[in-house]
Amino acid sequence: MPKKVIVLGGGVAGMSAAHELITRGFEVEVYEVKKIPGGKARSIHVPNSAKDGRKPLPGEHGFRFFPRFYKHVTDTMKHIPYGNNPNGVLDNLVQADRAEMARYDKKPIKLLTRFPRDLADLETLFKEIFDSDTGLEPHEIEFFAGRLWQLMTSCYERRLAEYEKISWWDFIEADGKSEAYQNLLAIGLTRTLVAAKAKQASARTGGDVLLQLMFDIAEPGESSDRLLNGPTNDVWVDPWLSFLQEKGVNYQLEATIKSINCSGEKITSATIEKAGQTFEVQGDYYIAAVPVEVMARLLNDDLLKADAGLATIKDLAQSVSWMNGIQFYLNTDVKIVHGHTIYINSEWALTSISQAQFWEHINLANYGDGTVKGILSVDISDWYTPGELHKKPASQCTREEIKEEVWHQLKKSLDALGAEVLKDEYLHDWFLDPDIVFPVEKNQATQKDTNIEPLLVNKKDTWRLRPESYTAIPNFFLASDYVRTYTDLATMEGANEAARRAINHIIDAAKLDLPKCELWKLHEPDILELWRAKDKERFDKGLPWDGEFVGEGCLNAIMKPFRKIFS
């Protein structure tokens, strides 16, 4: 008789757990609080937007981004059938080849997001190297390169013991540097990493992710920036849910987890509320796949008595911030750049993607009232800094004020130096993530908006607060992006990896002869292992990183394959 697993929570974590379990013969029940599957990854039908039998306009919590270094979630996508796609929904990923840093009063900086493939790529690369008005001083560029070298040649033990405990801002010594250095290399490179702030974000996490993106670009092959070729639920989440249900997963939407019930050393049940009814569900094993702030609320005295280590989740739950999206529906397709745009000077840390150019098989005339030709999807990562237009942070603005302020910051960035990229007459409609909940009374200055789905931020020295995917309770496991993973970031990838880890521990706990879920470490070029090994020796002796070259013997080893090529 198959073991029964209760998955408490949906989203990418819960769906990934259900996927790995059902394909290994477990009986699976999932309880998801939302009425739409997919969690933060979901796309959303814009209410009252469908006209004359068309589909509703597609909105979203925030745009999707699949870096090349993602391995876990993309492996799962490969096993979700989709039409005649040989690799399932994975084949619905398309590549971006450019990124842009838009700035107030300056030309944008265009960047490659892949290894150069043609003359146009090379022209973009060298034009930006020699023609960009970055404002960076030569010694600042040299210093920053030195910091990157330190990161990539430091052993993993040093990164965790030292770089985890300092911020990205302090690691790159942004104090005393130019405004350009602070905006581009300190703030600009962290603000888009899930709402991270340079003065708070762990240098280890921010540095590791930055290195991954750099290595992806430097290595020939796919782009470091990939996106879905249509609305998320259409081309990924809905086919995934159908696959899970066809396999036998009992997937319950609009089901709220009221409590996780523990007696002695084991979980005995979970209390669920759905459609006004409260009931208990029972299984052999339980997986909590809810966000960190929700898990913190579910902790009770019995759970903490069975595993006192879970208490750190309450402290970790304070390390959340807001990162939510707003979509602008345009009557003209404004492409901007073939990839993501980072708005370096924007008070609200905006990033955007122009969707239509990547949705080649989606006819936007079939959505809304049929007149939309472009969708500019924008993420707001700073909800606490006052904007220029209304002099208030986003968290204290009305929906209309948020829309006006974001549109203003986009235009000011894109229309710098006389350019006219966005025009008011292009704006047909807009939609703000419904996770932002507004007070009924907006005429009180103390009223603030709330966010029902904040995002975990990797603040410095918080790794010690993050639990493993297993617990001291033998039938209770954690599968969410806040647990310890190789990915180490609150992302779809981290959620999927956490789910895989939980399933592997269930297989061990049940003593079953089943294949384990595959796990991937972050990739760093093998050649750097020479430096990391040397730094490990120094670290073990209590010596600081020095970055000296590893010796003539290593040089010969490095050059050997090149000598063969050119001999």
Side-chain angles (χ1 to χ4, degrees):
M1 186 172 181
K3 298 291 185 180
K4 182 178 179 180
V5 182
I6 304 296
V7 181
L8 303 170
V12 172
M15 297 183 81
S16 298
H19 185 115
E20 299 300 337
L21 287 164
I22 201 69
T23 56
R24 286 167 172 78
F26 289 87
E27 182 182 350
V28 186
E29 293 180 5
V30 179
Y31 296 91
E32 158 71 81
V33 69
K34 295 287 188 182
K35 63 181 179 180
I36 304 171
K40 292 183 178 71
R42 69 191 181 280
S43 53
I44 305 164
H45 291 161
V46 177
N48 306 315
S49 63
K51 308 295 181 185
D52 301 323
R54 297 182 182 86
K55 299 178 183 179
L57 288 169
E60 52 193 357
H61 171 85
F63 57 66
R64 305 272 58 77
F65 170 45
F66 295 80
R68 182 180 175 183
F69 71 84
Y70 279 15
K71 296 290 188 295
H72 300 90
V73 70
T74 50
D75 178 72
T76 299
M77 293 170 74
K78 185 168 57 178
H79 296 97
I80 302 169
Y82 188 90
N84 296 320
N85 287 3
N87 297 301
V89 300
L90 181 64
D91 288 341
N92 290 338
L93 287 183
V94 292
Q95 299 181 45
D97 56 29
R98 300 287 192 275
E100 180 173 288
M101 289 184 171
R103 301 176 291 173
Y104 292 167
D105 303 322
K106 286 189 177 182
K107 289 194 306 181
I109 300 173
K110 297 185 184 296
L111 306 168
L112 287 181
T113 58
R114 67 183 187 193
F115 189 84
R117 296 180 183 176
D118 51 33
L119 180 60
D121 283 352
L122 288 174
E123 287 176 346
T124 297
L125 176 65
F126 287 108
K127 186 177 191 315
E128 296 309 313
I129 290 175
F130 296 111
D131 194 37
S132 287
D133 176 21
T134 64
L136 293 169
E137 300 293 336
H139 71 275
E140 291 180 328
I141 298 174
E142 182 179 345
F143 180 84
F144 184 73
R147 279 294 180 260
L148 291 181
W149 177 247
Q150 180 172 342
L151 275 173
M152 65 179 69
T153 57
S154 292
C155 64
Y156 302 125
E157 292 80 3
R158 186 183 302 281
R159 297 183 195 184
L160 183 59
E162 298 178 10
Y163 308 156
E164 166 66 15
K165 293 180 173 60
I166 63 175
S167 70
W168 177 251
W169 180 277
D170 289 336
F171 179 75
I172 66 169
E173 299 184 19
D175 277 332
K177 298 290 194 302
S178 68
E179 183 179 355
Y181 184 95
Q182 294 174 348
N183 285 338
L184 291 173
L185 304 180
I187 298 171
L189 291 178
T190 56
R191 71 192 326 186
T192 55
L193 293 177
V194 291
K197 293 178 174 60
K199 294 184 178 181
Q200 298 177 354
S202 158
R204 179 181 70 88
T205 300
D208 282 351
V209 173
L210 177 58
L211 290 181
Q212 289 302 303
L213 295 173
M214 289 174 53
F215 295 147
D216 284 353
I217 295 171
E219 184 177 341
E222 287 190 330
S223 172
S224 66
D225 186 355
R226 299 172 298 179
L227 307 97
L228 289 165
N229 63 0
T232 306
N233 279 54
D234 291 0
V235 300
W236 176 25
V237 176
D238 287 346
W240 197 5
L241 179 61
S242 297
F243 171 77
L244 295 177
Q245 292 174 328
E246 288 168 6
K247 284 289 186 180
V249 174
N250 179 4
Y251 204 108
Q252 298 289 323
L253 294 166
E254 297 186 272
T256 302
I257 306 153
K258 303 301 289 185
S259 66
I260 301 171
N261 309 313
C262 183
S263 178
E265 297 181 348
K266 300 188 82 174
I267 305 298
T268 55
S269 67
T271 303
I272 306 295
E273 182 181 59
K274 181 173 180 177
Q277 301 294 316
T278 300
F279 55 93
E280 290 192 5
V281 295
Q282 295 180 315
D284 298 297
Y285 299 96
Y286 300 79
I287 296 176
V290 294
V292 64
E293 73 281 358
V294 177
M295 189 64 221
R297 293 196 297 268
L298 289 171
L299 290 175
N300 54 47
D301 291 342
D302 290 336
L303 282 171
L304 293 174
K305 184 177 179 180
D307 185 355
L310 294 173
T312 62
I313 293 174
K314 292 189 174 183
D315 294 327
L316 187 64
Q318 305 306 310
S319 295
V320 295
S321 191
W322 296 20
M323 188 175 187
N324 300 71
I326 182 171
Q327 288 79 52
F328 294 102
Y329 304 97
L330 310 178
N331 55 31
T332 298
D333 184 18
V334 180
K335 295 182 173 62
I336 302 176
V337 69
H338 194 259
H340 289 89
T341 301
I342 304 170
Y343 298 83
I344 291 296
N345 308 112
S346 60
E347 292 83 359
W348 289 1
L350 306 180
T351 48
S352 76
I353 186 77
S354 184
Q355 301 277 29
Q357 60 188 319
F358 299 102
W359 293 3
E360 292 184 359
H361 304 293
I362 301 294
N363 185 358
L364 290 177
N366 295 328
Y367 292 79
D369 63 2
T371 64
V372 171
K373 293 183 172 58
I375 302 176
L376 191 58
S377 188
V378 185
D379 276 357
I380 307 169
S381 297
D382 188 338
W383 288 76
Y384 311 112
T385 298
E388 183 180 59
L389 199 61
H390 294 290
K391 314 301 181 186
K392 294 188 293 186
S395 61
Q396 295 180 18
C397 288
T398 65
R399 285 186 186 274
E400 187 71 26
E401 287 171 342
I402 290 174
K403 166 252 183 179
E404 292 171 352
E405 183 68 53
V406 173
W407 185 251
H408 170 76
Q409 292 181 27
L410 293 176
K411 287 180 61 180
K412 185 174 179 180
S413 299
L414 295 173
D415 296 350
L417 300 181
E420 194 171 22
V421 178
L422 289 183
K423 297 181 180 180
D424 291 340
E425 56 263 35
Y426 293 166
L427 182 55
H428 175 69
D429 204 351
W430 60 278
F431 177 70
L432 180 66
D433 181 7
D435 278 343
I436 306 301
V437 179
F438 295 82
V440 176
E441 299 290 335
K442 295 300 297 185
N443 58 353
Q444 298 179 22
T446 57
Q447 288 277 19
K448 292 184 179 180
D449 308 332
T450 57
N451 187 343
I452 60 176
E453 281 192 285
L455 191 67
L456 177 71
V457 175
N458 291 69
K459 294 182 180 179
K460 63 182 181 180
D461 199 25
T462 55
W463 177 263
R464 60 185 174 81
L465 301 176
R466 296 170 65 176
E468 300 287 352
S469 54
Y470 58 86
T471 74
I473 304 171
N475 66 338
F476 185 51
F477 303 87
L478 306 175
S480 191
D481 55 19
Y482 65 86
V483 308
R484 292 182 175 182
T485 60
Y486 293 137
T487 307
D488 187 31
L489 202 62
T491 57
M492 300 175 291
E493 176 76 350
N496 184 279
E497 182 188 344
R500 289 167 176 258
R501 288 174 177 270
I503 275 61
N504 286 350
H505 291 307
I506 288 178
I507 292 172
D508 288 338
K511 296 181 171 58
L512 297 173
D513 184 19
L514 291 173
K516 296 284 189 70
C517 303
E518 191 169 0
L519 301 173
W520 288 269
K521 294 182 178 180
L522 295 179
H523 167 69
E524 296 189 19
D526 293 339
I527 197 171
L528 293 174
E529 178 57 31
L530 301 168
W531 279 269
R532 291 194 298 268
K534 180 194 171 198
D535 186 56
K536 177 65 165 57
E537 293 178 2
R538 292 182 58 82
F539 178 80
D540 289 342
K541 295 175 182 177
L543 298 173
W545 175 90
D546 69 359
E548 292 180 1
F549 191 65
V550 292
E552 186 176 351
C554 292
L555 176 62
N556 289 332
I558 294 169
M559 294 304 297
K560 186 175 181 179
F562 296 98
R563 291 194 182 103
K564 287 184 178 180
I565 293 173
F566 295 108
S567 61

